[in-house]
Every structure is written in C-alpha cells, then in structure tokens.
Amino acid sequence: MRSLEIQWLFRKELRELFTSRPFWLLLFLIGPLVGQAFCTAVESYAEASGLVVGGPAALAQGLSPLDGILVPTFAAYDLVVTLLFPFVVIRAVASERESGAWKLLLQSPASMTTLLAVKALVLLLGWMLVWVPGLAALEFWKLYGGALYAPEVMNLLLGHLLRVMVGTGVAVAAAAIAGGAASAAIVTLGFTVGTWVLEFVATGRGGWAETLAGYTPTAILRLFEQGLLPLSAVIVSLVFSIFGFVLAGIWLSTSRHRILRTALTIVGFGISLWVGSLTRAAWDVSENRRNSFPVEDEAALRQMRDPLRVTAYLAPEDPRLTDLSRNILSKFRRALPKVDVEYRSHSRAGLFEPTGEHYGEVWYEMNQRKVMSRSTTEPIVLAAIYELAQVAPPVQRVESAYAGHPLAAHPSRAAACFYYGFWPCAIGMACWYHFKNRN
C-alpha cells in the first residue's frame, strides 16, 4: 500500500510539473542560453589557442578547459537558478495552496515528509532534464577534439547540483510562508540579493563576516568552479536545502505552534550549519593542482603545528589582496592546522590610509615570531614562512606535469542544435503534443 501511495504521488507531481508553463518556458530558453555561452567560450578558447592566422597562441599551461569551456558554459545554469527555476518551484507549492488541493493532500494517508520528499524528487528530475543542453555541449566539445578531466567535470556538476538544491529549498520555504506566488518570488529574489550584498560588504574585512560570506550560494559555487571540493561547503549546502523543506513542512501543516517550531528549527539547523562549517577537509581535484602548493612544500607545511596569524595592510579593492587570498591564504588554510587572518584597512581603495608607511605590508606570526613581506607571490611567501617556522624548505621540487590543452576549433553544428535547430523544435513539439492531448 505504501508503494502504491508513493507511485500515485509521484505521477501526480510529475503531471503537475509538465502542466507548468514556466517549466516549458524554462526548457525552451535553456537551449539558447547554454548554446550562446558554449559557442562564445569555444570561440574565445580558439583565439587564445592561436586560431587567428598570424596571431600568437597563449601559453599552453594557461589553457584549461575548466576555465575556458566548462565554467562559462555552465554559468548559464547559475543565471537560470537565480532568475527562472524559482518560479517553477514556487508554482509547485503555491498553486496547490491557492486551489485548496494541499488541504486534501493533508487528509491522505501520506505523511508530510512523504509529500515533500516526492515533490523534491520530481523537481530534481525536472532539473536533470534542464541539464541536457549542458551535457550536450560537453559532447560537442569532445567531438571537436577537446580534453575533459573527469574529476573536474564531476566536481563542477556537483557544485551546480548543490546550488540548485539550495535555491529549491529557499523557494519552497518562501512559497510555504508567503501568502502567494508573487510574494514568494520577491522573498526568494530578496534572499539572493541579500547574499550578494553580504559578499560585497564582507570583502577584505575578515572575521565572522568573511566566514559567513564564504558560505553564500555563489561563493560556494565559485569554489567548485576553481576545481576545489570542500567538505564543509557540501555539508552546509545539504543542511540548508533540507532546512528549507523542513521549514516549508512546518508552515504547510495545520499546526497552531508554527512560530515556536520555526524558532526551534532555526536554532537546530543553525547549530548544524556551524558544526558543518568547522570541517576542514577539502580536495583539490583540478588537473593542474591550482589550489595546492607543490607536493614537497605541502609535506613541509604539514610539519608545522603552531597556528599562523596573518595581518594584511591591504584595502579590499587592492589587487594584491586578491592575489594573496586566492594564491596564498586559501592554500595555507588547507595545509596548516589553523590560519587566522586580520585585515588592517580603513578604506576600500587604499588611497588615503591612516596606516601610512605600513600600507602594503603583510605580517606573518607563528609561535611569537614575526616576519614581514610585501610580496604576494608563492615562492617568496613560502620562504618567509619557512624562516618563521624554522623549518627547512624542500631541497628539490618536481615541476608540474600539466601541459595545458590548446585547441583551435570552431563551434560547428552547436549553434544549429541549440539556437534554431533540434532543441527549440523538440521542446516546441513536445509542449504542443502534451497540451493538445491534455485538452
């Protein structure tokens, strides 16, 4: 009986999804969006590879399909998750509340957990269908002779999957709490804009603000786009998406204690998010090991047991701070037991700093010893850390074997498939056939 109940709910949610005009519109638009991103990425990659006659090719080691093809192509999905897919999710909840169908579902033998779990599963299957153009773009790239590194591809897909799960959780909770679909859409968009503001405000400030901004959906996705698999980001994303559905279950029920249950849920999941963020395990799955120091240096750094304190006299908009954060500090956080960073800046641009002659300095402190460096290049900073920790640097380093993947190819046949060929025609015919038979 339980199996028949779930099958009935699954078929019912599937019918609701395919009767959603926003979902069909999303399917129709995703082809041109992905196609435009993919074709532009291939053309830019070809130019960097020396496609133009007489034009110089870029350094081969700097040509990575992850940066040049995968990230630009799947950036279309980040746009879709932000602006389009929430309307599909909101309709799946709001339409049942407004029509009164949800009250009838609550009287069925199915529990609230089953109702929401089946709805989440159908929405996830719908998103898998939206992924088809992106996966087709990867096949086109392979047909052109392009290289794909499986761990990078799978890691990027995982990052986008977590991104859509968080977006779905937010949209479901907004639809359950808000009075209607329009209000839920505003709440969902407000959440997204709020995370953008948080990232902007926390840039270069350090402390709890920077830590919190590091777990916004776009910040987490950025880590996966760089070829990094952080366990804390996976845990936080999963907990936050589950939190959205639990919150929706509270407000979709007939309980009279919604406010109290909501408060207790927020506290419980807040603790879970905090515990999940403490996890330091992370793996560099990029083919060129961009997120890691050389193997010999990482082995030497792991011998250091004392915490490292970094004080940077650099403004948030100073490009040297960006280099320091991406190329040095992020790697130290993976190799050392503890890294504390403090930013000593009183302006965003660094033009009028009261710190005077100290501006541009980066101080490193370990075991009551200090050393200063104005450089943000990896070898110089590593040498300063070895001197600070009184650890002998590696005698010899093995050079990276990554040779790059230059490819001067034209996006042939891709435009016809994504723009005015197979995908638009297939979606248009499927939509027409579905609604014709339904009527």
Side-chain angles (χ1 to χ4, degrees):
M1 184 66 181
R2 180 76 173 176
S3 176
L4 294 176
E5 171 188 307
I6 294 177
Q7 290 180 19
W8 177 84
L9 284 173
F10 181 80
R11 289 194 297 269
K12 175 257 179 189
E13 291 293 341
L14 207 58
R15 286 194 302 269
E16 290 290 332
L17 179 66
F18 282 100
T19 55
S20 171
R21 286 179 171 81
F23 181 67
W24 284 104
L25 179 61
L26 171 59
L27 287 178
F28 186 83
L29 293 177
I30 192 63
L33 287 174
V34 172
Q36 172 65 25
F38 175 69
C39 293
T40 302
V42 172
E43 291 171 353
S44 300
Y45 199 90
E47 291 180 6
S49 301
L51 176 63
V52 180
V53 178
L59 187 65
Q61 288 83 353
L63 292 172
S64 167
L66 176 62
D67 298 323
I69 301 298
L70 297 180
V71 172
T73 299
F74 279 84
Y77 286 100
D78 189 29
L79 178 66
V80 166
V81 171
T82 303
L83 300 177
L84 298 179
F85 193 65
F87 291 98
V88 178
V89 178
I90 290 171
R91 183 193 178 277
V93 177
S95 61
E96 291 180 341
R97 291 193 66 185
E98 294 172 353
S99 65
W102 185 256
K103 293 182 179 180
L104 297 177
L105 287 173
L106 291 178
Q107 299 175 16
S108 67
S111 64
M112 178 68 73
T113 302
T114 302
L115 292 173
L116 291 177
V118 173
K119 191 178 291 293
L121 176 61
V122 170
L123 289 172
L124 183 61
L125 291 177
W127 183 253
M128 294 297 104
L129 187 58
V130 177
W131 256 3
V132 171
L135 300 178
L138 299 184
E139 289 299 321
F140 272 113
W141 177 246
K142 292 175 64 177
L143 289 175
Y144 300 155
L148 289 176
Y149 186 58
E152 287 181 341
V153 176
M154 299 304 296
N155 186 64
L156 181 64
L157 293 178
L158 174 60
H160 279 278
L161 180 61
L162 294 173
R163 174 71 178 90
V164 75
M165 289 175 64
V166 171
T168 302
V170 172
V172 167
I177 297 174
S183 300
I186 294 175
V187 171
T188 305
L189 185 58
F191 170 83
T192 302
V193 174
T195 59
W196 294 344
V197 172
L198 176 61
E199 283 192 77
F200 176 77
V201 172
T203 301
R205 295 186 180 273
W208 66 268
E210 185 181 42
T211 301
L212 186 62
Y215 290 100
T216 59
T218 52
I220 289 177
L221 179 60
R222 199 176 301 122
L223 296 176
F224 288 89
E225 290 177 342
Q226 295 169 0
L228 190 64
L229 175 56
L231 182 58
S232 60
V234 175
I235 295 175
V236 168
S237 298
L238 290 176
V239 170
F240 199 87
S241 59
I242 295 173
F243 168 69
F245 277 89
V246 171
L247 202 60
I250 294 174
W251 285 87
L252 290 173
S253 67
T254 56
S255 174
R256 296 181 179 180
H257 307 286
R258 293 176 180 176
I259 302 297
L260 178 60
R261 294 177 62 189
T262 299
L264 294 176
T265 301
I266 292 175
V267 172
F269 276 92
I271 295 175
S272 301
L273 290 171
W274 176 70
V275 173
S277 66
L278 298 178
T279 306
R280 296 185 62 253
W283 298 271
D284 185 2
V285 299
S286 60
E287 187 178 6
N288 57 2
R289 299 189 78 251
R290 68 184 66 190
N291 305 295
S292 306
F293 290 120
V295 177
E296 297 79 10
D297 288 294
E298 288 195 338
L301 290 171
R302 289 193 177 95
Q303 299 176 14
M304 306 176 188
R305 301 302 178 188
D306 297 319
L308 174 66
R309 181 176 179 82
V310 182
T311 304
Y313 291 87
L314 293 169
E317 295 182 2
D318 194 321
R320 289 175 294 179
L321 181 60
T322 303
D323 294 338
L324 180 70
S325 301
R326 293 182 179 178
N327 302 328
I328 303 298
L329 299 182
S330 61
K331 298 177 182 179
F332 275 148
R333 288 190 175 100
R334 295 183 55 245
L336 295 174
K338 185 178 181 181
V339 178
D340 295 323
V341 182
E342 181 182 0
Y343 299 98
R344 297 281 185 87
S345 176
H346 299 271
S347 66
R348 296 199 62 85
L351 297 178
F352 306 100
E353 285 289 330
T355 52
E357 69 277 4
H358 290 291
Y359 186 77
E361 296 178 352
V362 181
W363 286 86
Y364 303 92
E365 181 179 356
M366 181 182 292
N367 196 18
Q368 298 182 349
R369 292 187 295 270
K370 292 183 178 182
V371 65
M372 188 273 291
S373 175
R374 290 180 177 272
S375 175
T376 58
T377 57
E378 183 177 304
I380 296 177
V381 174
L382 283 175
I385 297 300
Y386 290 137
E387 177 186 353
L388 181 66
Q390 298 181 347
V391 173
V395 178
Q396 186 177 3
R397 295 180 176 88
V398 178
E399 295 294 331
S400 175
Y402 181 74
H405 299 286
L407 178 64
H410 290 284
S412 58
R413 300 185 299 276
C417 175
F418 292 123
Y419 293 157
Y420 43 81
F422 174 76
W423 184 260
C425 293
I427 296 301
M429 292 179 62
C431 180
W432 172 80
Y433 181 80
H434 174 78
F435 284 102
K436 176 177 177 294
N437 289 343
R438 181 168 173 266
N439 295 330

